[in-house]
Amino acid sequence: MKLADRVSQINEPQTIAMSKKARALQAAGHDVINLSLGEPDFHTPEHIKEAAKAAINENFTYYTPVAGIPDLKAAISNKFKTENHLDYTPEQIVVSTGAKHAIMNAFMAIINPGDEVIIPTPYWVSYSEMVKLLGGIPVFIKGTIENQFKITAEQLEKAISTKTKAFIFSSPCNPTGSVYHENELAALASIFEKHPGIFIISDEIYEYIYFEDKPKSIGSFNDLINRTITINGMSKGFAMTGWRIGYLGAPTAVAIACEKIQSQYTSATSGISQKAALAALNHDKNASIEMVAAFKKRRSIVKEGLEKIPGLICNQPEGAFYFFPDISAYFGKQYNGKTIENSTDICNYILEEHHVSLVPGTAFGDENCIRISYASSEEKLIKACQRLEAAFSSLN
Ligand code: PLP
């Protein structure tokens, strides 16, 4: 039996691999604190659940139009206009099975084999694997902790070649929590102005989870809307990961292409989930605001904990719910006669010996760091920080 070559060209996300290991230890009776998760630990707000129940009771259980129900597309178009200064008409919106699906649709619509896609590192795990699945070539630009992992206009300009087809980034960023400020986006936009053939994919799935200035959309700069594909969805800001609703706004030709691809691939996402998403978008955002206030408090708890660990360089996340500290000062140190060579070794050591599950930076294209999710209760975070302090101080 021989599988297709593409299977061996991509990796399983290490985020999922670490969660599997943590669950196995838990099943064996260990008290594991799981900080490797990429989803809010809050329940979906009641009014959203009620809308889904009503949809079921009203037998809204059939196929819907492939790109989404008209009311939801209109609500998304309105959200883009009023909240992000992005003028996408309802015909330019495609609703999909999560933001992940929306990103894959966008890539499938624009990438030919051999096309280059520029991806700043650290990046969200799936970008490079999706590009590779389509025969594209990921081109990485290294973001450094000194610049909060954000790339500069000069770096972007250097990475552009005649083969560059697209640029993709997330702000707020998973895994770093960094948010590009207005002047930084303006600088990137001025480079894109010189290269009109490049698509920009702006992944704004963490848009609502920010602690300083409200994140801006790069598509609102200059005339970039004409080639910006803006990705968003319900998963993170509304605690709706399992409902699988993501969406994109795109230039008309791209949106039509995404709908065509989706029509042969998955058809529309669940109508019940679409009704729930509609209720979420049409309601006040108080539940999201409360969730963000909780994340902000947790950010302080973890920051205080991490600052107690000598040698660890901590970044300053302004959004999402992750820290991405540099732990490379501990490479070469030992425990039980074993040497820590890299971020995977350190995450395995911390999980196996101190029962905190984290994700190695290598999963996100940065070997010197680890990702710590603070989508967990304050009590667990305090305990996890104590365990981390003990773990790092036990290395010598
Ligand atoms: N983009 C980023 C940056 C993410 O972190 C995630 C989920 O972790 C997604 C997209 C996918 O979101 P969804 O659950 O809506 O598919």
Side-chain angles (χ1 to χ4, degrees), residues 89-158:
T89 65
E91 293 69 40
Q92 294 178 296
I93 308 294
V94 179
V95 180
S96 301
T97 308
K100 190 178 247 181
H101 184 198
I103 297 167
M104 191 61 179
N105 275 343
F107 278 143
M108 283 202 277
I110 62 175
I111 304 296
N112 276 324
D115 285 346
E116 292 181 356
V117 178
I118 298 178
I119 307 175
T121 67
Y123 50 77
W124 181 51
V125 285
S126 295
Y127 297 154
S128 56
E129 303 308 297
M130 287 175 173
V131 170
K132 286 193 277 173
L133 260 177
L134 298 172
I137 302 164
V139 173
F140 300 111
I141 306 180
K142 190 167 172 47
T144 60
I145 198 162
E146 293 75 32
N147 198 32
Q148 293 305 322
F149 299 106
K150 292 183 269 188
I151 61 154
T152 62
E154 292 71 36
Q155 284 179 296
L156 173 63
E157 188 150 40
K158 266 198 209 138

Side-chain angles (χ1 to χ4, degrees), residues 36-343:
S36 61
L37 291 179
E39 63 180 343
D41 55 320
F42 297 94
H43 294 311
T44 302
E46 283 306 315
H47 64 277
I48 301 175
K49 293 197 280 194
E50 286 308 320
K53 289 179 203 168
I56 294 172
N57 291 339
E58 287 157 18
N59 291 310
F60 197 77
T61 55
Y62 297 90
Y63 291 135
T64 74
V66 170
I69 53 176
D71 289 1
L72 180 57
K73 291 206 301 179
I76 293 168
S77 165
N78 183 51
K79 177 242 175 279
F80 273 138
K81 259 188 209 101
T82 53
E83 296 184 9
N84 311 106
H85 307 291
L86 295 171
D87 210 348
Y88 295 116
T89 65
E91 293 69 40
Q92 294 178 296
I93 308 294
V94 179
V95 180
S96 301
T97 308
K100 190 178 247 181
H101 184 198
I103 297 167
M104 191 61 179
N105 275 343
F107 278 143
M108 283 202 277
I110 62 175
I111 304 296
N112 276 324
D115 285 346
E116 292 181 356
V117 178
I118 298 178
I119 307 175
T121 67
Y123 50 77
W124 181 51
V125 285
S126 295
Y127 297 154
S128 56
E129 303 308 297
M130 287 175 173
V131 170
K132 286 193 277 173
L133 260 177
L134 298 172
I137 302 164
V139 173
F140 300 111
I141 306 180
K142 190 167 172 47
T144 60
I145 198 162
E146 293 75 32
N147 198 32
Q148 293 305 322
F149 299 106
K150 292 183 269 188
I151 61 154
T152 62
E154 292 71 36
Q155 284 179 296
L156 173 63
E157 188 150 40
K158 266 198 209 138
I160 292 173
S161 81
T162 50
K163 289 191 190 153
T164 306
K165 190 65 183 284
F167 170 81
I168 184 164
F169 76 130
S170 63
S171 173
C173 174
N174 177 6
T176 62
S178 296
V179 175
Y180 279 81
H181 300 159
E182 188 163 358
N183 61 327
E184 293 160 340
L185 289 177
L188 298 184
S190 69
I191 303 300
F192 289 124
E193 278 222 305
K194 296 192 234 166
H195 300 276
I198 299 177
F199 284 103
I200 298 133
I201 306 179
S202 178
D203 181 352
E204 303 181 7
I205 189 75
Y206 290 94
E207 175 195 7
Y208 289 128
I209 307 176
Y210 65 92
F211 314 116
E212 316 296 336
D213 295 337
K214 180 175 159 46
K216 298 264 183 315
S217 299
I218 194 163
S220 66
F221 288 72
N222 312 342
D223 61 355
L224 289 190
I225 183 102
N226 297 326
R227 55 200 168 96
T228 299
I229 304 168
T230 306
I231 306 287
N232 212 322
M234 312 310 292
S235 297
K236 315 289 177 171
F238 297 90
M240 290 177 68
T241 46
W243 298 75
R244 308 311 298 134
I245 296 282
Y247 56 83
L248 58 74
T252 306
V254 176
I256 291 172
C258 290
E259 181 174 357
K260 190 170 161 190
I261 289 163
Q262 183 162 299
S263 72
Q264 293 292 12
Y265 220 77
T266 58
S267 294
T269 189
S270 148
I272 298 156
S273 294
Q274 290 186 63
K275 284 284 192 183
L278 181 61
L281 290 178
N282 285 343
H283 201 271
D284 67 51
K285 307 287 182 311
N286 291 344
S288 303
I289 293 166
E290 276 171 34
M291 190 169 77
V292 173
F295 279 134
K296 190 169 182 182
K297 197 154 167 231
R298 295 167 178 188
R299 181 181 67 152
S300 311
I301 291 170
V302 177
K303 185 157 177 55
E304 208 175 293
L306 295 179
E307 278 170 354
K308 290 188 189 147
I309 302 173
L312 184 145
I313 308 168
C314 197
N315 66 315
Q316 303 275 0
E318 293 185 7
F321 37 74
Y322 309 106
F323 275 91
F324 201 65
D326 183 318
I327 42 80
S328 57
Y330 287 85
F331 293 170
K333 299 209 181 235
Q334 293 200 327
Y335 73 101
N336 292 348
K338 288 189 207 154
T339 305
I340 300 284
E341 310 268 8
N342 50 43
S343 64

